[in-house]
Amino acid sequence: MKKIHIFAISASALLVVFALVGLFLYQFHGFHDQKVFSGNIDQDHISNEFDADTDGDGVANLKDSDANENGKSNKQDVVSEAKRLVGVLYDPLKGGHGNIGGKMGFIVCIDVPRIAYADAGISLDQLLKADYARHPGHYETQGGTNTPATPYFYRRVRNVYDYARGNGQLVRHASTPKVGDIVFYSRYHATLVIGTHKDGTYDEVSASPKKIYTRETLHKKWKIRDVARLLN
Ligand SMILES: [Ca+2]
Ligand SMILES: [Ca+2]
Ligand SMILES: [Ca+2]
């Protein structure tokens, strides 16, 4: 009798554990859709990550209102992909130690806009790489440790900031946010605007070490900040 009782308890304990693991996996996950970068939408010889015209229609990504030719506007794609990132765990190693965290699908703050834009067919990696080739002076190269030839170049907030500043896409002290804006809290932290409201508040997706996993914050009060505004 006692044995059956213990069995019942351990079986229900096991169920609880399974339920918790299931909930954890549902709520928190990694980003594993690397084909966003490694894929090749127009099937030319350039992967999406470094293709200046991802859909191959002759219109450069930032001038193309539907850069991946999926029938949805860039803004729609950016917003829906950013929402899909909600729950992705933050990389506590911040890309360090051979990017173990990144390989497990963990992300850092700038990955939110980086992935969301890439999903829309606009690769920030490509924009930064091409800009660096033309204007290395836009960037703080830190004695050669911060160039496209070094591993973490495309995942540094300050490089996206410097790209935007050097290309007329930085709005200093923006008085209102717009959907798609990359919001700079500093040269080391950025978030993404995915919605705006008539009352002046906005919706944001952000990843940060303090929050552990990527979050969506709704109706946030706007504070004047610098933003990268890439979309029209
Ligand atoms: Ca291509
Ligand atoms: Ca195009
Ligand atoms: Ca699209």
Side-chain angles (χ1 to χ4, degrees):
M1 191 68 182
K2 201 176 174 187
K3 261 188 190 166
I4 292 169
H5 190 60
I6 290 168
F7 176 75
I9 289 173
S10 48
S12 46
L14 209 60
L15 270 178
V16 169
V17 169
F18 274 127
L20 286 175
V21 169
L23 189 69
F24 183 83
L25 291 176
Y26 176 75
Q27 180 78 26
F28 308 114
H29 49 95
F31 169 77
H32 294 292
D33 194 4
Q34 284 303 329
K35 71 177 185 306
V36 168
F37 296 100
S38 63
N40 190 353
I41 287 177
D42 61 356
Q43 310 229 311
D44 61 357
H45 60 288
I46 310 165
S47 69
N48 297 338
E49 185 177 12
F50 294 113
D51 201 333
D53 176 12
T54 304
D55 60 4
D57 65 353
V59 184
N61 295 333
L62 282 182
K63 297 215 160 104
D64 190 337
S65 57
D66 180 7
N68 62 1
E69 214 171 48
N70 70 347
K72 291 180 195 157
S73 73
N74 297 334
K75 270 186 193 175
Q76 282 177 298
D77 285 335
V78 165
V79 169
S80 61
E81 179 65 14
K83 283 174 178 279
R84 234 161 44 96
L85 291 172
V86 171
V88 172
L89 291 160
Y90 187 83
D91 179 2
L93 300 173
K94 300 184 183 187
H97 298 271
N99 195 28
I100 303 169
K103 285 170 191 158
M104 290 171 77
F106 302 160
I107 63 173
V108 295
C109 69
I110 197 66
D111 285 327
V112 171
R114 184 174 163 265
I115 293 168
Y117 271 82
D119 187 64
I122 301 168
S123 169
L124 301 182
D125 298 11
Q126 185 276 323
L127 293 171
L128 267 66
K129 187 180 183 185
D131 185 52
Y132 185 91
R134 287 190 305 263
H135 309 287
H138 285 168
Y139 302 86
E140 285 174 4
T141 55
Q142 297 167 214
T145 59
N146 181 43
T147 76
T150 58
Y152 206 53
F153 183 79
Y154 304 117
R155 296 174 75 203
R156 289 196 174 108
V157 173
R158 59 189 180 279
N159 292 337
V160 174
Y161 186 94
D162 291 342
Y163 160 79
R165 183 171 58 186
N167 290 275
Q169 290 163 348
L170 184 75
V171 181
R172 301 286 312 266
H173 313 299
S175 53
T176 49
K178 284 194 174 177
V179 171
D181 281 356
I182 301 168
V183 184
F184 297 105
Y185 283 63
S186 70
R187 284 178 66 76
Y188 301 92
H189 185 57
T191 67
L192 178 65
V193 176
I194 60 155
T196 56
H197 303 283
K198 283 186 183 146
D199 63 3
T201 62
Y202 72 110
D203 304 335
E204 170 184 82
V205 174
S206 63
S208 78
K210 270 187 211 160
K211 291 174 181 168
I212 302 174
Y213 61 92
T214 308
R215 316 242 183 147
E216 181 180 23
T217 313
L218 304 175
H219 288 282
K220 196 166 172 175
K221 193 165 178 262
W222 177 249
K223 259 186 155 176
I224 288 178
R225 297 187 196 278
D226 295 353
V227 305
R229 190 164 288 163
L230 275 58
L231 302 178
N232 295 317

